[in-house]
Amino acid sequence: MGIAVSTKNDVFLLNTKSTSYGFGIDDRGLVRHVYWGRKLQCVEELELPEFTEVSTNDPVFQITPEEFPVHGGLRYKEHCLKAIFADGTREIVYQYCGYDVEKGEDWEELILHLRDDHYEFFVDLHYKLYPEYDLMERSVEVRNQTEAPIQIEKLHSAQFHIPYENLNFSNVHGHWGAEHQRFVQKVSYGKIVIENRRGISSHNHNPYFVLDRDATETEGEVYFGALRITGNFSGVVEQTAYGETLVQMGLNDHDCLLELQPGESLTAPAILCGYSSSGFETMSHNLHRFALDHIMRKGLRPVLYNSWEATEFHVNSRDQIKLAQKASELGAELFVLDDGWFGERHSIQNGLGDWYVNEGKFPNGLEELVDAVKGLGMMFGIWVEPEMVNPKAQLYQQHPDWIYHYETRVSDTSRIQYVLNVTKPEVRDFIYQMLDNLLTRYDIDYIKWDANRPISQTGPQRDIWYKHIQTVYQIVTDLKKKHPNVLFEACASGGGRIDYGILGIFDDFWTSDNTDAYDRLFIQDAYSRIYPIKGMRAWVTDCPNFLSGRVIPLTFRYHSAMMGSLGVGCNILKFTQEEVELSQRMIQQYKEIRPIIQEGTFYRLENPSPNDYFLYEYLKEDQGVIFVFLPQSKVGHRGTTVRLRGLEEQGRYTLHTSKGDVTKSGSYLMYHGLEVKLSGDYASAVVRFEKEP
Ligand code: DGJ
């Protein structure tokens, strides 16, 4: 396992538990890709093929699969790095100058050192292996050791080469209220570009790639990578004329220019990548397990109640206390006061930036609500949108130059707000101080950090697209150092911020403002392919749903939300006694199965029926849960067969169905399966099971 280097020191084979990744240095110093796939045994067997130009129009630099193509020379393909030196030279010519290996408890890292032929400009390619997870993190560090600034015009973190054509590329498209809409498209000649240019990562496309060879959940080859950044990114997939598909991803070069001062370095966001020869399920499992073990904060996420949909901006101490009392009666563990508690925030018109408690709404201070919530035995959470300011807010009146702007232009508002230039030290300090004061003064356990508009009119700086999100990361990291028990939720107008960058900085992630329980099945399915279930916050909300107008039974709504980190966002003061009791039962059941849901292994099960069943399984050691959904039932419809996964063939499992307990062997449940038939619209069931000792 780990890093193997050929005796001639020119070929590297990076092995994980069941995969290998290989590249070598050729006689002209090019770092050339040679292999990515199932595990190989011997580095000495890997050879770098001789490349001769196909024609003068197909030069060697163009056709060579390079690990990290730079801009310059006879390269016309996508490059990962373009630098402009102080004298105007816009070409990089690199030389290979050795490698280092570092090792940790469960990782090994190869660092390949490249330097420019003429300038004191260094490029380190990092390959960090996590063998047990079959994953690797690739990133690149560039260092300026010249005497003058160097401008970085393009920085992608890595290039990958897949030795096939006609692959399937999958990602998500979407917008506010419809995030994570999965799409699959054939890769052919030409390029596929996915990106974000708005300063966030995820409403539209999401910063990852998945390329497969007609794979299913459990069979077939899948190549994947997820970029660890929450701001602008871009990714390019291209089937070349030379019999391969290349993919690269990194910082979006749209309106971006990063300047490296003498002595400065910059590390591009890492790409967490891997290969599966057994379908999408293995990809998801490896990513999920790695995220739980290495990226995310440990511990189960609380069942929350959030008052946004119940009260919107019309918050006041009395009503929020009533909601908190009811939420506690239902079994919620965390009460979150959303937008509207501060400044003159009575609508989207005003308030952002003025982070003092509104006295009219909280005449006895915020303490009254905090104490009431704590008295009920719940944690207390509060909403903020620190990167923004309303034009009418005092903050803007005092500091009109704190927003992103051009001196000669009018800055656009969106949701009647501007974006603060958080990269200015005084703005960053203001935000840190404001949150630190809030957390110090009040007994707050949870911050919901929202960001409801894209960035525009960035001003003369072209590095803010990168620096903005780095500053947000830094503020939260610093706050967590001082307030280590506080959980931070990332929300950006719904699901605008979920990616492998933010996953290690925040703790909870709002999936979408679309809380329609049926739509959520699709959103959650797509989300689960890359992101761990613990990071998927899901609320039960009122019907008719404010977006879809759909009316769905409360049980189905709970079941759909129980597939992630459960939250409730209904106006619970209007609940009937029957709804209260149902909620109490559901929340209690969720708490019992929560470790299996949030920390278990998640399976998207096959639905062999022509009817639209949605079937999912969660498994943690000897305990499991099955979710069955049937949104619409046709008269005369056939049921479905639930074939479980991940069980021990010889083990005996008891399933607690609504018709009584059923005990079967693991092999029966996995290969024969259980017949299930639901009826009626929006029918659903949650079935627990465990293995006999
Ligand atoms: C957008 C979020 O997604 C909602 O949950 C809510 O917090 C509103 N912002 C508040 O303005």
Side-chain angles (χ1 to χ4, degrees):
M1 212 124 67
I3 297 163
V5 188
S6 65
T7 42
K8 278 178 22 205
N9 252 346
D10 61 348
V11 179
F12 299 85
L13 189 63
L14 311 181
N15 294 319
T16 64
K17 199 172 55 184
S18 42
T19 74
S20 290
Y21 187 95
F23 55 88
I25 320 293
D26 74 9
D27 44 12
R28 68 185 93 193
L30 285 188
V31 187
R32 282 171 41 187
H33 180 80
V34 279
Y35 183 76
W36 193 15
R38 277 176 187 254
K39 190 161 185 171
L40 302 181
Q41 298 308 323
C42 179
V43 63
E44 304 299 343
E45 287 178 348
L46 278 186
E47 280 166 24
L48 298 183
E50 271 293 309
F51 273 115
T52 44
E53 59 183 31
V54 174
S55 77
T56 51
N57 276 308
D58 306 85
V60 169
F61 282 105
Q62 180 68 10
I63 60 181
T64 305
E66 284 183 272
E67 282 292 293
F68 194 73
V70 292
H71 173 74
L74 290 164
R75 288 186 189 90
Y76 304 96
K77 58 194 179 187
E78 289 291 327
H79 52 263
C80 288
L81 176 65
K82 182 172 177 191
I84 309 173
F85 297 98
D87 60 7
T89 302
R90 296 191 311 282
E91 173 176 88
I92 296 168
V93 178
Y94 69 75
Q95 293 170 347
Y96 167 69
C97 39
Y99 70 90
D100 281 309
V101 172
E102 291 179 7
K103 288 188 185 178
E105 205 176 305
D106 60 354
W107 56 267
E108 274 184 52
E109 184 167 6
L110 175 75
I111 306 155
L112 217 62
H113 304 296
L114 312 178
R115 60 157 295 172
D116 189 86
D117 202 27
H118 178 81
Y119 303 94
E120 295 281 301
F121 179 61
F122 297 85
V123 178
D124 283 348
L125 305 184
H126 289 252
Y127 298 83
K128 191 166 182 179
L129 299 180
Y130 294 92
E132 279 309 314
Y133 301 85
D134 272 331
L135 291 175
M136 171 168 81
E137 258 190 341
R138 280 193 65 182
S139 66
V140 57
E141 185 192 9
V142 289
R143 284 197 313 280
N144 175 9
Q145 287 178 7
T146 70
E147 304 283 302
I150 296 176
Q151 294 184 319
I152 305 294
E153 209 176 62
K154 164 100 182 258
L155 184 56
H156 268 190
S157 305
Q159 176 148 302
F160 301 90
H161 298 263
I162 299 162
Y164 302 112
E165 296 170 291
N166 298 316
L167 293 167
N168 306 306
F169 170 70
S170 51
N171 196 266
V172 288
H173 67 94
H175 52 74
W176 173 80
E179 298 88 337
H180 303 285
Q181 307 295 309
R182 183 169 185 257
F183 70 84
V184 185
Q185 73 184 79
K186 268 279 173 229
V187 182
S188 185
Y189 298 106
K191 291 174 190 170
I192 299 172
V193 177
I194 55 159
E195 63 172 353
N196 196 299
R197 297 180 171 196
R198 301 165 197 225
I200 52 163
S201 57
S202 343
H203 273 135
N204 320 105
H205 300 305
N206 200 283
Y208 66 81
F209 66 85
V210 179
L211 288 157
D212 73 270
R213 298 185 70 205
D214 296 334
T216 65
E217 274 297 288
T218 52
E219 285 173 358
E221 290 185 283
V222 184
Y223 299 82
F224 58 93
L227 183 71
R228 303 196 62 184
I229 188 77
T230 313
N232 285 1
F233 72 91
S234 64
V236 182
V237 180
E238 181 182 10
Q239 179 171 302
T240 73
Y242 310 106
E244 57 151 14
T245 301
L246 61 83
V247 53
Q248 59 170 248
M249 206 163 252
L251 299 176
N252 198 330
D253 58 356
H254 166 77
D255 192 36
C256 181
L257 192 70
L258 300 160
E259 195 160 87
L260 277 186
Q261 297 305 325
E264 276 187 353
S265 67
L266 175 70
T267 301
I271 302 183
L272 185 63
C273 56
Y275 162 82
S276 158
S277 58
S278 47
F280 300 114
E281 185 179 280
T282 302
M283 167 187 80
S284 302
H285 286 178
N286 292 346
L287 287 170
H288 290 187
R289 190 50 53 204
F290 183 77
L292 290 179
D293 292 351
H294 280 273
I295 300 181
M296 293 183 78
R297 183 194 191 114
K298 300 277 182 287
L300 298 173
R301 299 297 179 260
V303 176
L304 69 75
Y305 175 78
N306 180 300
S307 59
W308 170 245
E309 288 197 22
T311 55
E312 295 204 343
F313 298 101
H314 313 297
V315 299
N316 63 60
S317 199
R318 195 193 57 233
D319 291 348
Q320 295 294 311
I321 290 173
K322 279 196 209 150
L323 283 165
Q325 285 162 341
K326 200 65 168 184
S328 144
E329 194 184 321
L330 301 185
E333 298 158 316
L334 161 67
F335 179 84
V336 185
L337 167 66
D338 210 280
D339 201 349
W341 59 269
F342 51 90
E344 290 308 313
R345 186 76 168 165
H346 307 290
S347 67
I348 56 171
Q349 299 275 347
N350 198 351
L352 292 175
D354 298 339
W355 299 106
Y356 60 85
V357 177
N358 182 292
E359 280 181 18
K361 298 178 180 185
F362 295 89
N364 303 317
L366 191 62
E367 291 87 347
E368 187 180 40
L369 174 61
V370 179
D371 291 349
V373 169
K374 297 283 159 146
L376 290 161
M378 284 190 289
M379 295 190 281
F380 179 75
I382 197 160
W383 180 96
V384 287
E385 194 176 358
E387 299 151 77
M388 308 289 166
V389 65
N390 288 117
K392 280 190 186 162
Q394 291 167 24
L395 184 76
Y396 180 69
Q397 304 304 322
Q398 288 156 7
H399 301 287
D401 57 328
W402 277 16
I403 64 165
Y404 287 120
H405 68 285
Y406 293 110
E407 290 300 332
T408 57
R409 302 281 178 227
V410 175
S411 289
D412 287 316
T413 52
S414 174
R415 214 190 190 219
I416 321 183
Q417 61 197 54
Y418 296 126
V419 187
L420 291 170
N421 182 348
V422 303
T423 67
K424 280 180 177 238
E426 59 272 33
V427 180
R428 182 199 58 213
D429 292 351
F430 165 80
I431 295 174
Y432 174 84
Q433 216 48 63
M434 175 277 283
L435 286 163
D436 180 36
N437 290 345
L438 203 63
L439 292 172
T440 306
R441 171 147 184 206
Y442 304 103
D443 189 2
I444 293 172
D445 306 284
Y446 186 94
I447 292 280
K448 176 176 174 183
W449 181 307
D450 206 343
N452 279 298
R453 58 152 291 180
I455 299 174
S456 63
Q457 282 94 17
T458 54
Q461 295 167 262
R462 283 175 62 189
D463 56 3
I464 74 94
W465 299 107
Y466 173 68
K467 287 196 171 153
H468 183 101
I469 192 61
Q470 297 301 322
T471 311
V472 170
Y473 286 172
Q474 197 54 54
I475 295 171
V476 176
T477 306
D478 290 346
L479 286 166
K480 280 179 148 184
K481 275 190 202 131
K482 182 140 184 227
H483 306 276
N485 296 326
V486 177
L487 292 167
F488 284 78
E489 176 180 2
C491 167
S493 209
R497 278 180 172 165
I498 179 65
D499 50 74
Y500 267 84
I502 207 149
L503 210 56
I505 306 286
F506 284 71
D507 312 300
D508 212 346
F509 308 91
W510 185 219
T511 314
S512 173
D513 277 347
N514 183 349
T515 52
D516 177 282
Y518 173 64
D519 279 8
R520 270 300 179 106
L521 293 182
F522 296 91
I523 290 174
Q524 293 175 176
D525 189 291
Y527 187 103
S528 77
R529 286 166 190 268
I530 303 296
Y531 298 110
I533 299 301
K534 195 196 269 189
M536 188 170 78
R537 187 52 85 172
W539 302 352
V540 176
T541 56
D542 287 327
C543 277
N545 183 275
F546 83 102
L547 273 175
S548 66
R550 218 177 259 132
V551 177
I552 293 181
L554 190 55
T555 304
F556 189 106
R557 277 183 274 155
Y558 264 102
H559 286 165
S560 170
M562 282 160 74
M563 285 189 59
S565 287
L566 176 64
V568 177
C570 304
N571 188 347
I572 47 180
L573 296 178
K574 292 197 177 153
F575 266 13
T576 61
Q577 189 53 27
E578 199 187 334
E579 287 170 329
V580 167
E581 285 167 18
L582 193 136
S583 297
Q584 287 169 330
R585 283 200 305 279
M586 291 288 173
I587 292 173
Q588 181 52 34
Q589 186 186 17
Y590 181 75
K591 287 179 184 167
E592 288 163 17
I593 60 176
R594 172 167 45 186
I596 312 172
I597 303 287
Q598 293 190 7
E599 294 181 340
T601 306
F602 175 67
Y603 297 87
R604 294 172 292 265
L605 300 179
E606 187 193 355
N607 168 33
S609 160
N611 289 290
D612 295 333
Y613 282 94
F614 292 71
L615 309 173
Y616 302 101
E617 174 193 346
Y618 298 73
L619 193 63
K620 186 164 194 256
E621 289 141 23
D622 292 346
Q623 308 243 344
V625 186
I626 307 163
F627 283 76
V628 183
F629 298 95
L630 179 65
Q632 271 204 330
S633 149
K634 296 184 198 104
V635 174
H637 91 279
R638 290 213 305 277
T640 191
T641 307
V642 180
R643 294 194 178 87
L644 297 184
R645 302 206 24 88
L647 307 184
E648 283 174 28
E649 289 183 351
Q650 311 290 333
R652 309 263 324 149
Y653 294 83
T654 301
L655 289 87
H656 307 288
T657 76
S658 58
K659 295 187 186 132
D661 287 356
V662 176
T663 301
K664 297 281 183 192
S665 66
S667 55
Y668 180 94
L669 292 168
M670 290 194 293
Y671 310 136
H672 178 281
L674 283 181
E675 301 305 314
V676 172
K677 187 170 182 186
L678 302 182
S679 56
D681 285 351
Y682 297 112
S684 60
V686 172
V687 177
R688 290 189 62 176
F689 64 91
E690 72 272 328
K691 185 168 148 264
E692 283 178 3

